[in-house]
Amino acid sequence: MVDIVTAYNRGHFATLLDSMFEDRKNVFIDLLRWDLPVIDGRLEVDQFDDDYAVYLLISDPAQNHMGSMRLLPTDRAHILGDIFPFLCTEEIPKGHEAMEITRLCLCPGLPALVRLQIRNRLISGMVDYALLHSIKTFTGVVTERFFSQVLAMGWRCEPLELPQMVNGTTIVAFRIDIDFNTPHLLDEAGIYVPGEIQSSLEKERQRMEQKNAE
């Protein structure tokens, strides 16, 4: 199950979020050498980890982070619009029907096959989340090498401009168009895992009913 974490239920996921921020530090700072802020020497947290961020999280039974991604609304500050606007010469896709994909993070200690399975579940959950919330477009900024993987997933995806070299790394901005055919396209590529979000929403509904009954 992919848990959906927002400002409204973050208190229930404090331990898991800490585990996620630790893995983000291990992956993006220690491994990939990105220049990012660190809290307490162990947590990678930036200015976009605010109440508007939506997290998709997968954990083990002990609430250890296995994989995650962050979705940002594009009608306010976000990475493409505020840090890398030069990666898009046309108008940047934004608005209440567009969200930005950021910080896809897989626990580095997991076997390669498990990491692939976690990635596919996160991608599937992200698409289900979009369909449930009338999100029609995802944007993102990735390395040129990873962009080839994004394209290979089978959905309707295109670069927003030619790749550019930034701080020694070639990066590219992209858009993904989402509709009710997207799960089928991902399924044809062997990626889509159905039902990841529905079980999370049911779990949250039960939690809210319990809270209201107290």
Side-chain angles (χ1 to χ4, degrees):
M1 179 181 67
V2 176
D3 284 310
I4 307 299
V5 180
T6 68
Y8 298 101
N9 63 356
R10 287 182 71 151
H12 297 289
F13 294 93
T15 298
L16 178 53
L17 286 170
D18 269 1
S19 180
M20 178 194 73
F21 290 131
E22 286 182 344
D23 273 351
R24 279 178 26 176
K25 193 260 186 185
N26 292 335
V27 171
F28 297 117
I29 296 176
D30 297 342
L31 181 62
L32 298 179
R33 302 298 180 182
W34 291 8
D35 183 16
L36 299 170
V38 180
I39 294 178
D40 297 332
R42 64 185 186 89
L43 307 176
E44 187 272 296
V45 181
D46 70 8
Q47 68 268 37
F48 302 107
D49 289 304
D50 56 20
D51 287 345
Y52 296 91
V54 176
Y55 303 96
L56 278 63
L57 301 172
I58 295 177
S59 61
D60 64 16
Q63 289 293 287
N64 295 310
H65 171 262
M66 299 180 70
S68 59
M69 68 169 59
R70 181 181 66 184
L71 302 179
L72 299 177
T74 58
D75 54 1
R76 62 184 309 277
H78 63 289
I79 291 175
L80 176 58
D82 290 66
I83 299 179
F84 298 113
F86 55 87
L87 293 177
C88 183
T89 54
E90 303 296 331
E91 183 178 359
I92 296 174
K94 62 179 62 176
H96 67 278
E97 293 183 342
M99 295 193 80
E100 182 179 58
I101 309 166
T102 68
R103 294 300 195 271
L104 173 62
C105 179
L106 305 174
C107 177
L110 296 175
L113 180 58
V114 176
R115 286 165 54 83
L116 179 61
Q117 293 170 342
I118 295 295
R119 186 208 68 175
N120 290 348
R121 290 173 60 194
L122 287 168
I123 294 296
S124 302
M126 179 189 76
V127 170
D128 288 349
Y129 178 88
L131 294 175
L132 285 168
H133 293 84
S134 300
I135 303 301
K136 297 181 179 180
T137 304
F138 283 119
T139 62
V141 177
V142 294
T143 63
E144 184 179 28
R145 181 178 179 182
F146 186 66
F147 182 57
S148 63
Q149 297 183 40
V150 176
L151 286 173
M153 291 180 186
W155 44 21
R156 293 188 294 127
C157 175
E158 62 181 11
L160 292 171
E161 183 51 83
L162 294 174
Q164 297 190 40
M165 181 74 70
V166 178
N167 296 327
T169 301
T170 304
I171 61 176
V172 58
F174 64 89
R175 69 175 290 158
I176 299 168
D177 294 318
I178 302 294
D179 59 29
F180 284 98
N181 192 47
T182 304
H184 174 68
L185 296 175
L186 292 176
D187 187 54
E188 287 186 329
I191 291 174
Y192 186 68
V193 181
E196 290 289 335
I197 292 299
Q198 290 293 345
S199 56
S200 177
L201 293 174
E202 177 62 19
K203 179 180 177 182
E204 187 62 25
R205 183 187 66 79
Q206 293 174 355
R207 180 183 291 123
M208 293 301 296
E209 288 181 350
Q210 181 179 1
K211 181 179 179 180
N212 292 334
E214 293 175 350

